[in-house]
Amino acid sequence: MAAPPGDAGGAPVRDPGLQPERTRLAWRRTTLSCTVVAVLAARQAVHGGATAAGVAGAALSALVWLAFLGVAHRRMLALDAAAPGPLPARAAIATAGCTILLALFTVAVLA
């Protein structure tokens, strides 16, 4: 039985397969979904009659979208590493917080 190919130090070379690519695509789909929600919130705020709550909700939705975009971009860059680590807890909390806030601000625009 032959040993797996390794680098000069004898450590096996990582074969990432398609898993990092699938994860990167999932982050892109999620970013696209957040973009659509933010754009629809802004559209609703403008077309529904510009109320203070609607404009504030749309502006906050845009800020949360930018924050999510930053977290997603950093994660996609981290997936380019030879051995990407797990998503840090801070980034996971930021992602969940952005998702919840985006939903809340969109509801504020609709109200």
Side-chain angles (χ1 to χ4, degrees):
M1 183 171 182
D7 60 8
V13 176
R14 180 177 183 271
D15 179 19
L18 295 177
Q19 193 272 330
E21 181 65 21
R22 287 191 307 266
T23 304
R24 191 176 299 109
L25 289 171
W27 276 100
R28 288 181 192 222
R29 282 190 306 269
T30 306
T31 302
L32 179 62
S33 298
C34 288
T35 303
V36 169
V37 169
V39 168
L40 288 176
R43 180 178 179 263
Q44 181 66 28
V46 172
H47 285 244
T51 64
V55 172
L60 291 171
S61 293
L63 287 174
V64 169
W65 172 76
L66 286 172
F68 184 84
L69 188 63
V71 171
H73 182 69
R74 280 193 301 272
R75 183 59 185 160
M76 285 188 274
L77 288 177
L79 290 171
D80 288 337
L87 181 67
R90 187 174 178 183
I93 291 169
T95 302
C98 286
T99 304
I100 291 167
L101 288 173
L102 191 59
L104 290 174
F105 294 147
T106 303
V107 169
V109 169
L110 295 174

